[in-house]
Amino acid sequence: MVTDGVTGERFCGGCGFVITERVDNSGPDLRAFSKEEYDDKARTGMPTSLAVHDMGLATIIGHENSDSTGKPLSASMKSTIKRLRTWDGRSQVHSSIDKNFRQAFSELDRLKDKLAISDSLIEKTAYIYRKALEKGLAKGRSIPGLIAAALYLACRDTGTPRTLSEVARQINVKRKDVSRCYRLLLQELDLTMPVLDPVRCMSRIASEAGLSEKVKRQALTILEDANNMEITAGKDPMGLAAAALYLSCTMNNEDTTQKVIALAAGVTEVTIRNRYKGLKESLNIQVPNKIKLNLGTNF
DNA sequence: TAAGATAAGAGGGACAT
DNA sequence: ATGTCAGTCTTATCTTA
């Protein structure tokens, strides 16, 4: 059993099967402005460290001076993180930037739990957000939108499979607003992001939809072939991964539906169908007729 | 009931004006 | 800067097996 320090996912070191990758997120989406209120509205399974709300930033920002990949931080990054920790000890808000930062962090606090994000990702998000504030990008923009964008940026940067829609939904900001902030950050901070790796997406979808290892492996080879044929450019990675999984399911006669996979992947059935069709045609894959198994029950 | 088909609409990138 | 265009994805509805 290995825990990915970057994505916070726990998976088998041998086969890569993801054991748990996210906490229940179907609870109410409520704001809380005090510890008591937070405790009242919190769902079960809340980590105790978060319940001790007064511990604040120090519980969020770890003390190891290394980034999410384990490499030591640069000197400037180190001092930035140090400052973040220090601020938390202060009872007074010194400037508008500090104030903004505190507010942003209370948002981030909630997101962390809902999206099952690791501490190192939180640090990265904080770093990005701080940069954004220094550049004055917060002016005229909502804090939740910007912090969500920073978080999504950190996810993309580390290859953590969280979709823009997910992040936006959990923080209760319109997807397009987060999207706008995200592009702004990319531009202003002079960053380029690698395309989200469909392979990473697959682990998530496969475990969420309860698919077998065999199916997952075959879906992986399908994705590789698709990549080699350059038919994946410009397509939604999640949709591609989902379609590859579905195709693999039909090839292996694994009992599943588009609906299940679509739900797990966070894309629509139509998208899966389109990618599915494209994959099947481009790779010239013959799909056997579905053998109807009389199992009596769905599970 | 699941899968496929089709249409309308949103949002963003590329490109020209 | 602004408008147009092609391509993608989503939502909704209808048909098919």
Side-chain angles (χ1 to χ4, degrees):
Chain A
M1 172 83 63
V2 180
T3 298
D4 190 324
V6 177
T7 67
E9 290 167 354
R10 291 196 304 148
F11 56 89
C12 169
C15 63
F17 183 78
V18 177
I19 310 294
T20 57
E21 75 273 271
R22 61 187 308 176
V23 296
D24 171 40
N25 66 347
S26 59
D29 188 13
L30 299 169
R31 282 166 173 264
F33 297 100
S34 69
K35 176 184 182 301
E36 289 73 22
E37 197 180 353
Y38 189 64
D39 287 345
D40 282 342
K41 290 177 177 176
R43 299 183 296 284
T44 57
M46 189 71 76
T48 50
S49 68
L50 280 183
V52 189
H53 196 255
D54 289 338
M55 290 176 74
L57 289 182
T59 64
I60 295 171
I61 299 177
H63 287 85
E64 68 278 355
N65 279 319
S66 61
D67 69 11
S68 51
T69 60
K71 281 179 294 199
L73 298 175
S74 66
S76 66
M77 175 71 168
K78 217 180 264 181
S79 67
T80 300
I81 293 298
K82 191 178 174 190
R83 255 179 293 147
L84 301 186
R85 292 194 198 105
T86 311
W87 286 349
D88 182 54
R90 298 179 186 158
S91 55
Q92 282 192 333
V93 175
H94 293 293
S95 71
S96 66
I97 284 189
D98 286 9
K99 199 170 171 183
N100 186 309
F101 212 88
R102 285 180 164 273
Q103 208 172 330
F105 255 90
S106 79
E107 297 282 351
L108 195 53
D109 220 29
R110 299 206 320 268
L111 273 186
K112 178 193 163 162
D113 186 51
K114 287 179 178 174
L115 292 168
I117 295 160
S118 71
D119 286 348
S120 61
L121 243 171
I122 296 285
E123 277 184 42
K124 214 171 182 83
T125 305
Y127 175 69
I128 294 167
Y129 192 78
R130 171 75 179 155
K131 282 281 216 185
L133 284 190
E134 280 171 358
K135 282 220 161 200
L137 301 181
K139 239 173 237 171
R141 264 171 270 274
S142 79
I143 291 174
L146 212 53
I147 195 73
L151 177 58
Y152 179 63
L153 195 66
C155 286
R156 287 289 295 267
D157 192 40
T158 56
T160 308
R162 301 287 178 273
T163 65
L164 183 59
S165 309
E166 273 179 301
V167 177
R169 195 185 325 124
Q170 295 299 346
I171 204 171
N172 220 356
V173 173
K174 286 199 187 78
R175 191 201 120 102
K176 67 172 180 180
D177 291 335
V178 180
S179 179
R180 261 199 271 273
C181 288
Y182 170 68
R183 270 190 302 279
L184 182 83
L185 288 180
L186 279 188
Q187 200 174 350
E188 294 297 323
L189 301 182
D190 227 5
L191 300 169
T192 54
M193 283 297 125
V195 177
L196 194 57
D197 185 10
V199 176
R200 275 193 193 251
C201 300
M202 266 193 22
S203 292
R204 253 193 79 185
I205 302 170
S207 66
E208 198 145 329
L211 303 177
S212 71
E213 262 312 301
K214 186 180 161 196
V215 164
K216 206 170 110 187
R217 290 227 178 86
Q218 182 151 17
L220 272 174
T221 66
I222 292 172
L223 266 187
E224 277 174 27
D225 292 344
N227 257 328
N228 292 336
M229 292 185 65
E230 296 174 351
I231 56 174
T232 57
K235 308 286 198 298
D236 178 11
M238 274 292 191
L240 268 174
L245 279 169
Y246 180 68
L247 183 54
S248 178
C249 280
T250 60
M251 289 164 76
N252 290 292
N253 281 314
E254 180 130 328
D255 197 26
T256 189
T257 66
Q258 293 177 356
K259 199 172 188 173
V260 171
I261 297 182
L263 198 68
V267 299
T268 64
E269 295 156 71
V270 178
T271 299
I272 290 185
R273 284 199 279 271
N274 291 338
R275 294 291 84 75
Y276 171 74
K277 208 172 152 191
L279 284 176
K280 211 165 64 174
E281 281 167 8
S282 303
L283 303 177
N284 229 340
I285 293 174
Q286 307 297 325
V287 178
N289 288 331
K290 227 178 186 177
I291 299 171
K292 197 68 188 169
L293 297 176
N294 252 335
L295 296 178
T297 170
N298 282 337
F299 297 105

